[in-house]
Amino acid sequence: MSDQLPLVGREEELRTALRALAVDGAVLLSGPPGVGKTRLAFEALAAVPYPVVRCYATVATSQIPLGALASLVPTDLPASQGSILPSSSVRAAAEHLSRGERRVLSVDDAHLLDDASLLVLQHLVRHWLMRVMCTARPGWGMEGLTVVAVGALDQERADALLAAALGVPADASTRHLVWANSRGNPLYLKELVATGRHCGAFTETEGGWNWSGPLELSGRLAELVDLTLGRLEDPQRRALELLAYGEPLEAGVMSVPQDLVDMGFVRVGDDGRARVAHPLYSARLRATCPTLRARAHRRALADRLEAEGAGRPGDALRVATWRLDSGTAESPDVLTRAAEQALSAQDWELAERLARAAVARGATSRVGLVLGLVLMYQRQCAQAEEVLAETMAAGGDTLTLMQAGCTRAFNLFFGLGDEESAVAVLDRVTARKLPAELEHAVLFFALTFALEAAPLRIARLGGELLLAEGGWAATAGRQVLAFADQFAGRYTEAIARIEDNHMAVLATAGRFPSLTNAANSVRNESMLRSGDLVDAERRAAQALAEVIEEDRWSVTQVPPRVLLSQSARLRGKAAWAVRITAEGVPDPAAPPMMWDVLLLAEFAAGAALQGQSDRAFRALARAEAGLRPAWRIAQFAVGAARSWVLAGAGRVNEAMQAALDNAVSAREHGAHSEEIGSLHDAARFGADTSPRLLKLAKSRKEPLTAAYASHAQARALRDPAGLEEVAAAFTACGATLFAAEALAEASRLSRLHDRPRAADRLERQAAALAETFDGATTPGLVVTSTLAALTPRQLEIARLAVAGLTNVAIAERLAIAKRTVDNHLHTTYAAVGVTGRGGLRELFGHGA
């Protein structure tokens, strides 16, 4: 990493500073330490056409008359009287500084200027003797200076600076970690990166650099924070330590000294609770606090909160955590309740600590449910099964047994892919007499399995049974039916069910939070597949940002990541599709859960679209290896990805057959949504699937489905005008990748029909759309006027040659003689005017 980072996100401040320097002649860049005032001044002064004279005020020179300007002014000036410089000396010093050509005086850290230097500066500015640019901390100013505020970077600009510091992008969790701890302070961000590299915290993953392990302050970063904290007196530091261990704290628990607020070490929010002003201050205070004093702080916090009543939501969790950390925790029931609260807050690490502490103190079986959930959330599904099995074996009340059983079945099915054992566990739960609401909850869990493993009509029947029961059961039933509608490709009906169910889902969010996530997932996926890409993207991006910020269960990132990637592929944004999925790809050493398989499949499709065939095949192999027989919907997603990967490698006929096979399997399951997508892919790769697609589109009235059917029909009829109409329909939905393919095919057909002007026009339109793409290439896009004369067989062999296959391998793949391949390639070279494979690659474009 270079010691000097590029100037990022300061374009507006730089323009303002240069304009003020040119017009007003004197500028003050004002901002807190570390925000880059000095760097901004350097960049601004490098752009002015005048000589620059620089001086640097420091704590040491602040006590010396003319200390900051000593090297720039004559040594024989009349001596000052104390800190007062005679007016004649002020004029002489100013004239000496401004002599000759017009100059610019740069003053760094002007708030540290001694009085004599300040008088000279005032004289220069007042009489316009030279241009002046100062940097200083907030609160310092001088008449005549135009102030340009320089604050911390916002998150988007901080992310850009992080990428510049690392040289390559970081994944989303790392970007959030660095942002949360730097708060957009460029100096802190730079030193966080340096610290992470020095301690080996950065590891390279599919999604970019990832920060693994805890954040530990060391080296220059620790020195910088210590320098700031060094301004504290001992009583102040102890008070700030107490706040660092308990933040945010209410006034009833801690009365914050006003001097800490005035010094900028404490901020009080609109909610009246106090926090340490910067997260790095908190981290450093905790890291350097002696062990016994740290325990005393936590014990004091617990005592104070209990004395106040500890009646607010989350108070019990705070008290239990402080007691545990101070060595004064005894009650297993208190620890169990706190573990449950930590679980609800999705603080997995704390929930596990509290749960294990409760177990060590003889807690009841209830805490086993918490521990099992935490282990599942941490992808430790085998360990979760052991804990949940022990919890069920230990017995307990009916509610605890039902919750443990449903959680265990969920883990078995979606985590371990063991459908038979999952169903057996639910059978064991229902063997006991349950209240009606608990029976309905168990049925709902069973139906979530049925949606994946059984034909959709089974899940739909179960949803109708729940709906007829009324109450919470009806809420769950509508959710099941919405899923069934989505999988069946009836997106309008699915969205309507979700909207009708919205208030009921919100009312039960406290007891059944998974319903909210499921409802959002159905709505977003249905919006995308119906053709409302804009709203689907917006909602998915918001959902992903919330998941990352709140550090929820990592697999909850999968639905929004998959949706954003699918939308990106429809828009031809291949690089973005790869980036958004790569960030969530799990460690290869971890056994994949069902959601991991979905993400790997989408990652493979994006990599194939970008022309990264090797990477795509590796991801596809991982997805196929992770599949379990019970995960039928996931199988269809993998099947769809397989056709994209094969097409990206030039194996178009195989891609077409893979898409057709996937469509048949999806139809048998009732998953017409997946059938529609695969039928359209098969049509893009050469099959006539228009009869079935037209039938499905007629019964659904979905804009994107209708466009798929029209595309297949126009291709089958070899109708350029129809393809042009389809391109407009795709563009209206936002699916510009398919629009460009339709226009390219229309151009090719027009040229074959001897309509060169129409062909040129359509080719220009396709090229204009392709210019908006981000590395996307498909067989359908590679239809230039040069290639239009090739036969389908010649195109297929050319694509395989460009993909890197030898003539022997192409012959084996297509079950033809090598001599036939040789002849086709020689004919192709002659037809398109190239001498070999290198020329073909240029014609086909990157990754074709």
Side-chain angles (χ1 to χ4, degrees):
M1 180 186 70
S2 170
D3 187 58
Q4 184 78 305
L5 295 179
L7 190 70
V8 172
R10 296 299 191 193
E11 294 79 11
E12 182 61 31
E13 292 94 331
L14 182 59
R15 283 193 296 268
T16 303
L18 286 171
R19 186 166 54 248
L21 190 64
V23 176
D24 304 325
V27 181
L28 168 62
L29 303 179
S30 177
V35 295
K37 304 183 296 294
T38 300
R39 178 63 193 287
L40 181 60
F42 178 86
E43 294 289 339
L45 293 172
V48 300
Y50 312 119
V52 177
V53 180
R54 303 179 188 275
C55 71
Y56 306 89
T58 65
V59 173
T61 63
S62 66
Q63 304 301 316
I64 304 171
L66 290 178
L69 300 174
S71 63
L72 303 176
V73 299
T75 58
D76 57 351
L77 291 173
S80 60
Q81 304 297 322
S83 61
I84 305 300
L85 192 69
S87 58
S88 60
S89 297
V90 170
R91 287 195 300 274
E95 290 169 0
H96 183 83
L97 282 167
S98 60
R99 73 189 188 285
E101 297 180 13
R102 287 186 296 173
R103 297 184 178 189
V104 180
L105 176 64
S106 168
V107 184
D108 201 34
D109 285 339
H111 57 281
L112 297 176
L113 283 174
D114 60 277
D115 292 342
S117 296
L118 186 59
L119 286 172
V120 175
L121 181 64
Q122 289 173 333
H123 188 85
L124 289 168
V125 172
R126 186 180 302 119
H127 296 284
W128 268 70
L129 296 179
M130 61 192 307
R131 286 176 167 78
V132 172
M133 178 168 285
C134 301
T135 68
R137 293 186 182 180
W140 184 89
M142 192 182 79
E143 185 179 353
L145 294 176
T146 300
V147 179
V148 177
V150 184
L153 300 172
D154 60 26
Q155 188 165 3
E156 182 178 354
R157 294 184 295 171
D159 288 347
L161 183 60
L162 176 61
L166 289 170
V168 293
D171 66 15
S173 63
T174 299
R175 294 197 301 271
H176 177 69
L177 180 144
V178 172
W179 160 255
N181 285 280
S182 69
R183 292 300 183 198
N185 183 301
L187 179 60
Y188 286 164
L189 186 150
K190 172 186 170 183
E191 296 303 331
L192 276 168
V193 171
T195 297
R197 284 187 159 167
H198 178 73
C199 68
F202 283 114
T203 56
E204 194 167 7
T205 67
E206 288 280 10
W209 286 105
N210 171 261
W211 187 300
S212 56
L215 176 65
E216 296 179 0
L217 275 63
S218 61
R220 169 101 173 119
L221 182 58
E223 292 174 5
L224 288 169
V225 177
D226 286 342
L227 185 64
T228 303
L229 295 176
R231 298 161 50 203
L232 297 168
E233 300 293 337
D234 188 62
Q236 294 173 322
R237 187 180 184 98
R238 287 175 180 260
L240 201 60
E241 283 174 355
L242 186 68
L243 181 57
Y245 280 109
E247 63 183 335
L249 287 178
E250 303 79 6
V253 180
M254 178 183 178
S255 178
V256 177
Q258 185 59 40
D259 56 349
L260 289 177
V261 178
D262 296 339
M263 293 171 70
F265 284 107
V266 173
R267 57 186 176 89
V268 179
D270 295 338
D271 58 1
R273 299 199 293 178
R275 295 166 175 82
V276 178
H278 199 283
L280 292 182
Y281 300 168
S282 294
R284 189 60 179 164
L285 286 165
R286 292 192 297 268
T288 57
C289 185
T291 301
L292 293 179
R293 196 158 82 201
R295 288 182 178 177
H297 284 322
R298 288 158 167 152
R299 185 167 57 250
L301 287 166
D303 291 343
R304 292 182 187 187
L305 188 54
E306 285 181 331
E308 196 190 37
R312 290 176 295 267
D315 280 356
L317 173 59
R318 298 162 76 192
V319 169
T321 304
W322 291 330
R323 290 289 183 212
L324 182 62
D325 290 338
S326 65
T328 58
E330 295 297 335
S331 170
D333 288 338
V334 170
L335 289 169
T336 296
R337 287 195 299 273
E340 291 170 340
Q341 291 184 11
L343 182 67
S344 297
Q346 302 184 72
D347 188 336
W348 319 126
E349 182 179 346
L350 179 58
E352 182 176 2
R353 284 185 59 223
L354 291 164
R356 292 194 183 280
V359 170
R361 289 164 176 78
T364 62
S365 61
R366 201 171 86 231
V367 79
L369 172 61
V370 175
L371 186 55
L373 277 165
V374 169
L375 290 169
M376 182 179 71
Y377 290 153
Q378 293 176 335
R379 296 176 180 270
Q380 301 176 44
C381 298
Q383 295 91 320
E385 160 60 12
E386 292 178 9
V387 170
L388 292 167
E390 291 174 1
T391 301
M392 290 187 70
D397 59 74
T398 299
L399 176 61
T400 299
L401 179 63
M402 187 278 295
Q403 290 174 327
C406 288
T407 302
R408 184 183 175 193
F410 185 93
N411 180 64
L412 283 164
F413 187 91
F414 292 107
L416 298 174
D418 188 346
E419 179 186 5
E420 183 178 345
S421 296
V423 172
V425 168
L426 290 184
D427 286 343
R428 179 179 167 188
V429 171
T430 54
R432 296 181 61 163
K433 184 170 179 58
L434 298 175
E437 186 176 77
L438 297 189
E439 280 190 352
H440 298 153
V442 175
L443 177 57
F444 176 68
F445 266 88
L447 291 174
T448 62
F449 305 160
L451 284 164
E452 280 287 335
L456 280 184
R457 62 180 180 275
I458 304 299
R460 190 177 291 279
L461 176 61
E464 296 288 358
L465 290 173
L466 282 173
L467 188 62
E469 293 292 334
W472 179 86
T475 303
R478 278 189 289 271
Q479 180 62 58
V480 171
L481 293 172
F483 262 123
D485 285 336
Q486 176 204 320
F487 290 150
R490 300 186 179 281
Y491 311 119
T492 302
E493 289 93 330
I495 293 171
R497 285 192 196 273
I498 293 299
E499 291 176 350
D500 290 345
N501 214 26
H502 179 65
M503 296 308 297
V505 168
L506 287 182
T508 62
R511 290 180 299 157
F512 303 100
S514 61
L515 277 182
T516 304
N517 293 334
N520 289 334
S521 179
V522 169
R523 182 196 293 267
N524 297 347
E525 181 78 10
S526 296
M527 282 181 168
L528 176 78
R529 297 206 177 206
S530 68
D532 187 358
L533 270 66
V534 173
D535 255 5
E537 285 177 351
R538 177 184 59 79
R539 291 175 60 88
Q542 180 181 348
L544 180 60
E546 290 174 357
V547 169
I548 292 171
E549 183 175 351
E550 297 174 12
D551 196 22
R552 298 184 198 164
W553 189 19
S554 59
V555 296
T556 60
Q557 296 184 18
V558 170
R561 284 192 186 280
V562 168
L563 188 144
L564 288 170
S565 175
Q566 289 174 341
S567 182
R569 286 196 290 118
L570 289 174
R571 295 186 184 280
K573 306 294 185 182
W576 171 242
V578 170
R579 187 158 57 249
I580 198 68
T581 49
E583 288 182 357
V585 169
D587 188 324
M593 302 179 76
M594 188 199 73
W595 297 276
D596 299 327
V597 170
L598 292 172
L599 191 68
L600 284 164
E602 181 57 35
F603 175 50
L609 180 62
Q610 199 179 13
Q612 301 178 358
S613 288
D614 290 345
R615 199 179 187 192
F617 273 112
R618 288 196 301 271
L620 181 64
R622 285 186 61 190
E624 291 176 333
L627 270 176
R628 301 293 181 268
W631 302 341
R632 293 292 297 279
I633 301 297
Q635 286 181 28
F636 304 144
V638 173
R642 184 182 300 113
S643 64
W644 280 74
V645 172
L646 289 167
R651 296 156 61 175
V652 181
N653 281 348
E654 291 177 70
M656 179 184 69
Q657 190 58 54
L660 290 172
D661 292 343
N662 201 52
V664 170
S665 298
R667 180 178 182 177
E668 291 172 352
H669 188 78
H672 301 301
S673 176
E674 299 295 337
E675 181 191 5
I676 289 167
S678 287
L679 287 173
H680 179 241
D681 287 340
R684 292 169 55 229
F685 302 144
D688 180 9
T689 59
S690 57
R692 176 62 179 166
L693 272 174
L694 287 167
K695 181 177 180 180
L696 289 167
K698 184 177 180 180
S699 63
R700 282 162 175 77
K701 310 298 183 186
E702 308 289 353
L704 194 54
T705 302
Y708 286 162
S710 298
H711 190 196
Q713 183 181 45
R715 280 185 59 95
L717 296 175
R718 301 171 66 81
D719 177 10
L723 287 166
E724 191 171 0
E725 291 179 8
V726 167
F730 278 136
T731 301
C733 291
T736 47
L737 176 71
F738 296 153
E741 287 188 354
L743 288 169
E745 178 67 5
S747 172
R748 188 183 74 84
L749 291 171
S750 295
R751 204 170 300 281
L752 290 175
H753 295 165
D754 199 22
R755 299 172 187 165
R757 293 180 62 184
D760 289 344
R761 174 179 59 81
L762 293 165
E763 188 175 331
R764 285 195 299 272
Q765 291 176 3
L769 284 178
E771 285 179 1
T772 69
F773 296 167
D774 183 10
T777 180
T778 71
L781 291 177
V782 188
V783 187
T784 67
S785 57
T786 304
L787 295 173
L790 298 181
T791 67
R793 177 62 96 183
Q794 287 171 335
L795 272 172
E796 181 177 29
I797 291 174
R799 287 188 182 109
L800 293 173
V802 167
L805 274 69
T806 65
N807 290 12
V808 172
I810 294 173
E812 292 176 352
R813 178 71 52 77
L814 300 180
I816 58 179
K818 176 182 177 296
R819 179 176 296 178
T820 304
V821 174
D822 296 340
N823 291 336
H824 273 304
L825 281 176
H826 284 303
T827 305
T828 297
Y829 296 155
V832 300
V834 300
T835 58
R837 295 185 181 219
L840 278 183
R841 290 191 191 93
E842 293 181 9
L843 283 175
F844 274 79
H846 170 70

